[in-house]
Amino acid sequence: MNYQQILSDILRQAESLAGEGRQADYIPALAEVNPDQRGICLHTLEGEQFAVGDADVRFSIQSIAKVFALAMSLSFEGDDLWRRMGKEPSGTAFNSLFQLEIEHGIPRNPFINAGAIVMADILVSHMLDPEHDFLTFVRRLAGNDTINYNRTVAYSERQTGYLNAAIANLLKHHHNINNDIERVLQFYCLMCSIEMSCRQLAQAFIPFADHQQPFRYAGVELTASQVKRMNAIMQTCGFYDEAGEFSYLVGLPGKSGVGGGIAAIYPQRYAVAVWSPRLNGKGNSVVGMRVLELLTTETKESIF
Ligand code: GLN
């Protein structure tokens, strides 16, 4: 498969969407990013990399960090994790409150904000220095020690994150947060603020694409079955109330973030990361969705 040629072609085709959508600005620091950048990197299990566009520019991975948080939380808690959250698609926005109230403080799944805030609480409980250990884990997955948090973005989000604060309070009311709310929210925002390029993200997702290899990174260990199940949750919950649409158009497990990134995997073949900051109304990258739709259409490679 000539991935290099295919990636160049599909990025060119996605040009027709240039200017569609808007970058996230509810986190003020994200509004400063040039919205007209786009890049793709595809990393095969054999270790080949194919990159086009702004594939080496680092961006805010935001909710893509929830995949790394889930890997860590599962390695600490195993199936006990599912006492504190579900694994069903929510069909609601990533920052929605109403389902959480009806369901008595048990988030639908780990990839909506409520679920990720509970995971932040779990990680704070398990680690003496969660900021350090989480970053070390991500650096090890990506094989790159220069990856870092952007504390300006984290602070900007924490200053204006009224909805996440409401979610955390509701969780605490239902005894689904054990630590101090402020501590948990600070750590949650910091996790989301990690900056990575498409090239680094694609590499960091290879262990999820290859669940037959032992998953052991910086003390985080998962069984093949746990990795396989994480992929199932990416498939059903990775795009909030657009998870069905992503499955329909693309047919790969993946995870998006409001920084405009999407990481997806084709099990036993490759991991791919796409970035373009302009988002649709559901908070997913317009160009990113189209590029991945074109990728699986042109290559006829998808899990379906
Ligand atoms: N940090 C963001 C938030 O909590 C993450 C949301 C996202 O990327 N969908 O709003």
Side-chain angles (χ1 to χ4, degrees):
M1 192 71 71
N2 188 347
Y3 286 123
Q4 191 65 44
Q5 185 64 47
I6 292 170
L7 294 187
S8 304
D9 288 349
I10 62 183
L11 198 60
R12 198 165 335 105
Q13 286 181 58
E15 280 298 318
S16 61
L17 296 175
E20 249 185 58
R22 292 184 45 205
Q23 79 217 82
D25 56 7
Y26 75 97
I27 301 174
L30 290 185
E32 288 160 27
V33 176
N34 168 4
D36 296 312
Q37 304 180 77
R38 54 197 67 120
I40 321 175
C41 180
L42 186 150
H43 190 120
T44 66
L45 254 56
E46 291 74 37
E48 288 175 293
Q49 278 193 346
F50 305 91
V52 293
D54 302 309
D56 290 301
V57 179
R58 294 180 191 211
F59 59 90
S60 198
I61 68 168
Q62 291 297 321
S63 281
I64 301 173
K66 293 170 182 170
V67 175
F68 307 137
L70 177 58
M72 275 192 132
S73 303
L74 265 181
S75 86
F76 283 128
E77 295 277 325
D79 277 348
D80 285 348
L81 182 66
W82 309 120
R83 294 182 196 191
R84 296 185 59 182
M85 64 191 72
K87 37 181 136 58
E88 293 296 338
S90 67
T92 57
F94 59 86
N95 51 10
S96 169
L97 265 170
F98 80 90
Q99 209 166 45
L100 191 63
E101 180 176 22
I102 295 165
E103 299 182 354
H104 308 289
I106 301 294
R108 267 293 168 97
N109 67 63
F111 292 157
I112 52 171
N113 287 7
I117 291 169
V118 171
M119 293 195 292
D121 180 58
I122 288 169
L123 299 185
V124 166
S125 293
H126 276 280
M127 296 185 278
L128 282 177
D129 190 349
E131 283 80 4
H132 172 269
D133 294 356
F134 185 76
L135 189 59
T136 304
F137 173 54
V138 176
R139 285 176 168 179
R140 209 56 56 78
L141 279 174
N144 186 313
D145 276 346
T146 67
I147 290 168
N148 223 325
Y149 300 117
N150 181 328
R151 288 177 191 276
T152 307
V153 171
Y155 183 74
S156 168
E157 175 167 18
R158 184 60 206 101
Q159 289 302 100
T160 52
Y162 305 112
L163 266 182
N164 284 335
I167 289 170
N169 276 281
L170 195 49
L171 289 164
K172 184 86 176 170
H173 170 79
H174 287 288
H175 310 289
N176 203 1
I177 285 202
N178 297 322
N179 297 284
D180 172 60
I181 287 178
E182 189 49 40
R183 172 81 187 96
V184 171
L185 284 173
Q186 265 176 17
F187 180 54
Y188 168 79
C189 294
L190 204 58
M191 287 197 294
C192 293
S193 81
I194 287 190
E195 292 184 333
M196 293 169 80
S197 65
C198 288
R199 197 183 293 277
Q200 293 160 351
L201 256 185
Q203 182 160 346
F205 269 69
I206 281 292
F208 302 104
D210 192 8
H211 70 278
Q212 289 165 10
Q213 294 299 317
F215 189 107
R216 238 179 264 133
Y217 295 87
V220 178
E221 294 195 20
L222 297 174
T223 64
S225 180
Q226 283 174 314
V227 176
K228 181 188 74 179
R229 288 174 176 160
M230 282 190 55
N231 295 341
I233 299 173
M234 283 192 239
Q235 184 75 41
T236 52
C237 310
F239 297 80
Y240 324 110
D241 43 347
E242 207 167 41
E245 185 76 357
F246 189 80
S247 242
Y248 178 80
L249 293 176
V250 178
L252 297 176
K255 183 75 202 79
S256 64
V258 291
I262 300 178
I265 58 164
Y266 181 35
Q268 299 312 314
R269 284 298 276 279
Y270 63 69
V272 61
V274 193
W275 170 58
S276 177
R278 290 185 188 272
L279 309 177
N280 64 22
K282 310 271 184 179
N284 298 316
S285 170
V286 174
V287 167
M289 297 263 294
R290 175 60 62 83
V291 157
L292 293 175
E293 177 192 359
L294 290 169
L295 176 65
T296 56
T297 306
E298 305 263 309
T299 59
K300 301 190 183 66
E301 291 182 334
S302 85
I303 66 168
F304 300 110

